[in-house]
Amino acid sequence: FSDENRLSAEGNTVGIGRNTGDFLGRNRQGSDVLGMGNQRSNIFRRGATAAAGTPEESAQGQVSLKKMLVDITNEEVVMRSSIDVAEFIVSIEGESGVVLTQTYKDMPEVVTLPVGNYKVSVKSHEVKDAAWDEPYFYGEQSFKIEKNTVTEVNTVVCRLANVRVTIVIHDLLARKSADDVNVNVLLGENTSLDFSKTETRSGYFKYVEGSSTMVATFTGTVQNNYEENFRTYVDVAPGNHYIITYRLQGPNGDVPDN
């Protein structure tokens, strides 16, 4: 009995620009578009003024968000149209902290801010420590506000920002093993998920700086013998998809199905 492991990248090279052929923009109502329309409510036409917090209170400029698109892509085949960016959370942060937080669909076109350096960030949701089939996407872009000037923010590229893990139990091993077979995946010190031998979903783990070690522990009864197998992965990185496959293996290789 042994296990075979393979690692495929998901997200390390997923950034695409506005001129890339594989481009998908979503407007704030959730429709697929290549540009943004101007039909908004009057309150958005007037724009918004964020809280001040920089030393030069009287000197202000504006940031225009009306052309800002949220772009999401994956190396692996996914149904991109199933990702609705309308409820993604958009935040603007300055030197004094967060000055504006809004959903993408409700984001104002123009925001007036004191001069200074800022960052706009976009995230799919509040990331959980571990969850089933819940990819977390995040992207950001820096910009500078200058006096009496309108600064444009264009496309923000959101990449997979948590760690994806899939456990594959080979068919023969599944048939030869009891229902107590389980694979526990532990990332860091105390974040884990348990995969049964019939689990087909992927687990998504929050990435925490300094917690880049992952341990997969196989336990259970195989051909009337209790088996326990440990695998350790170091330098685990966000945006990667770790596929761990377990199969029966004899001294001369894989055990034949018969």
Side-chain angles (χ1 to χ4, degrees):
F1 172 75
S2 68
D3 58 289
E4 171 186 313
N5 303 274
R6 62 188 177 92
L7 168 64
S8 63
E10 178 190 71
N12 288 342
T13 57
V14 299
I16 62 177
R18 293 176 58 81
N19 296 321
T20 303
D22 183 19
F23 180 86
L24 174 65
R26 303 298 297 275
N27 68 10
R28 293 164 200 172
Q29 285 71 39
S31 303
D32 294 334
V33 294
L34 293 178
M36 301 298 297
N38 291 319
Q39 295 182 354
R40 298 167 184 256
S41 63
N42 290 332
I43 187 171
F44 291 156
R45 294 179 186 274
R46 289 194 295 269
T49 301
T54 59
E56 200 175 350
E57 295 285 348
S58 60
Q60 294 182 327
Q62 293 181 319
V63 56
S64 174
L65 305 173
K66 63 182 178 181
K67 295 181 180 180
M68 191 183 100
L69 294 176
V70 174
D71 183 29
I72 299 174
T73 184
N74 274 311
E75 266 193 349
E76 295 186 349
V77 177
V78 294
M79 293 297 294
R80 296 176 63 189
S81 61
S82 67
I83 303 175
D84 184 7
V85 303
E87 296 296 333
F88 275 30
I89 302 169
V90 179
S91 296
I92 295 177
E93 182 178 356
E95 297 170 0
S96 61
V98 177
V99 296
L100 179 69
T101 299
Q102 190 63 270
T103 59
Y104 181 63
K105 66 180 176 62
D106 294 328
M107 187 175 58
E109 285 187 351
V110 178
V111 179
T112 301
L113 296 166
V115 297
N117 296 312
Y118 293 86
K119 176 182 71 177
V120 58
S121 62
V122 181
K123 59 185 178 182
S124 54
H125 57 278
E126 297 296 338
V127 63
K128 299 176 182 177
D129 289 341
W132 298 107
D133 282 346
E134 196 167 300
Y136 170 68
F137 295 97
Y138 177 85
E140 63 182 44
Q141 186 179 136
S142 297
F143 64 93
K144 184 177 182 179
I145 293 293
E146 298 179 338
K147 185 176 180 180
N148 299 327
T149 301
V150 177
T151 301
E152 295 278 355
V153 173
N154 295 311
T155 302
V156 177
V157 178
C158 288
R159 297 175 171 85
L160 182 68
N162 50 2
V163 178
R164 182 180 180 185
V165 178
T166 301
I167 301 297
V168 178
I169 305 292
H170 190 262
D171 289 344
L172 179 60
L173 174 58
R175 294 198 301 269
K176 298 289 186 178
S177 62
D179 291 338
D180 64 342
V181 163
N182 180 78
V183 179
N184 176 269
V185 176
L186 174 69
L187 181 59
E189 295 183 357
N190 52 20
T191 301
S192 67
L193 287 174
D194 287 302
F195 295 74
S196 70
K197 72 175 186 179
T198 59
E199 182 61 73
T200 59
R201 296 173 297 176
S202 290
Y204 288 83
F205 295 81
K206 180 180 179 180
Y207 177 75
V208 178
E209 289 286 347
S211 298
S212 59
T213 299
M214 181 173 70
V215 179
T217 304
F218 178 103
T219 57
T221 304
V222 179
Q223 293 182 316
N224 299 319
N225 294 311
Y226 186 79
E227 301 284 353
E228 191 169 26
N229 179 274
F230 300 91
R231 275 297 190 186
T232 300
Y233 302 84
V234 297
D235 298 326
V236 172
N240 282 347
H241 183 186
Y242 295 83
I243 304 174
I244 307 172
T245 301
Y246 294 92
R247 65 179 72 241
L248 280 177
Q249 194 172 57
N252 298 318
D254 289 352
V255 176
D257 287 352
N258 58 0

